[in-house]
Amino acid sequence: KEENGVSWGYGEGGRLCRLNLRTGQLKVLLDDPKGGVRDPQVHYDGRKILFSYRPGGEQHYHLWEIHAEGTGLRQLTDGPYDDVEPTYLPDGGIMFCSSRCRRVVGCFPAPVAVLYRCDASGKGIRPISANPFTDNTPWPLPDGRVLYTRWEYVDRNQMTFHHLWTANPDGTGQMVYFGNQHPGPELPPPRFFGVAMLDAKPIPGTKKVVAIFSPGHGRKENDGVITVVDPSGGPDDKTFAKPISGSAEYRDPWAFSEVAFMAA
């Protein structure tokens, strides 16, 4: 892929799979040896799955949806952009990150993706964020706000501030959730300056969230430390972020409760 004068390489081979945790049965819903599949999200009713997909031979990722049993594959978005990290909203819409903003990172010729939303069919696409730099991994909170990672890069160190923010689903009320006045808590060795707080999701029955704290500028595949963040201490007290994994080699956290978690 050639973009903004830089060549980007994709790894080939993508599958979307469904695993039955009771029986261990694995069902392949989509298999594309030349394509790429990422960011699957299951609908609230459990009947369909939203994901980002780059079919083999194509350059860009777009939003797709499929029934949970593997039928009804359909494309929702298109165009010369990358649409990634989608999530279902309770009002029936979809929020995602997209390079439709047509911006590049200030310190490197890489495309920027910020928050967008669309309706359930992929129509009515409109921007939610005006961030000059990248937003990542949006996810709804129980109170209706959307929690996401914002790369804050205004008059400050360009490597350090990838922290948690919130916004209403219409883009109003953007506010710091945790971080942004400090590089982040110290992580297990090897130590890196700064933390990218990614893939944050609410913990049921609490006001806390679980996230991956990825060292430094962020690692490949968002690898990092599984961390529980308690917002009751405000955004600036680093002691309210508690690491619960012994190493920085986890990704895609999910909380069943305050004491039961799943991660890749």
Side-chain angles (χ1 to χ4, degrees), residues 51-228:
F51 60 102
S52 186
Y53 173 40
R54 179 186 60 80
E58 297 189 10
Q59 289 191 354
H60 295 285
Y61 282 85
H62 293 113
L63 305 189
W64 293 66
E65 197 172 53
I66 194 170
H67 295 151
E69 70 272 15
T71 62
L73 178 66
R74 65 174 185 143
Q75 183 173 350
L76 302 182
T77 62
D78 57 17
Y81 318 100
D82 288 300
D83 301 324
V84 296
E85 298 175 349
T87 187
Y88 288 113
L89 296 173
D91 63 9
I94 295 169
M95 189 170 287
F96 60 101
C97 300
S98 178
S99 62
R100 294 168 183 271
C101 57
R102 300 178 65 84
R103 301 177 193 139
V104 294
V105 175
C107 56
F108 193 76
V112 164
V114 300
L115 298 180
Y116 280 75
R117 66 168 295 163
C118 62
D119 59 31
S121 67
K123 306 301 182 184
I125 296 173
R126 60 188 188 275
I128 295 299
S129 168
N131 190 7
F133 297 93
T134 297
D135 299 322
N136 290 105
T137 59
W139 197 275
L141 290 171
D143 64 9
R145 294 176 297 164
V146 175
L147 180 66
Y148 67 101
T149 302
R150 173 186 167 98
W151 184 3
E152 179 57 53
Y153 190 172
V154 179
D155 295 333
R156 53 174 47 190
N157 185 301
Q158 72 269 31
M159 300 286 289
T160 305
F161 297 92
H162 305 261
H163 295 165
L164 298 179
W165 287 59
T166 59
N168 295 324
D170 63 358
T172 60
Q174 296 194 22
M175 184 65 63
V176 175
Y177 183 86
F178 188 78
N180 205 51
Q181 292 299 320
H182 53 76
E186 199 169 90
L187 297 179
R191 306 202 188 287
F192 292 84
F193 184 67
V195 173
M197 304 173 186
L198 299 158
D199 293 309
K201 301 176 181 67
I203 299 175
T206 77
K207 293 186 177 181
K208 301 175 183 178
V209 303
V210 62
I212 293 297
F213 278 25
S214 191
H217 212 28
R219 285 185 179 173
K220 181 180 178 181
E221 304 292 345
N222 295 356
D223 271 359
V225 178
I226 305 172
T227 305
V228 172

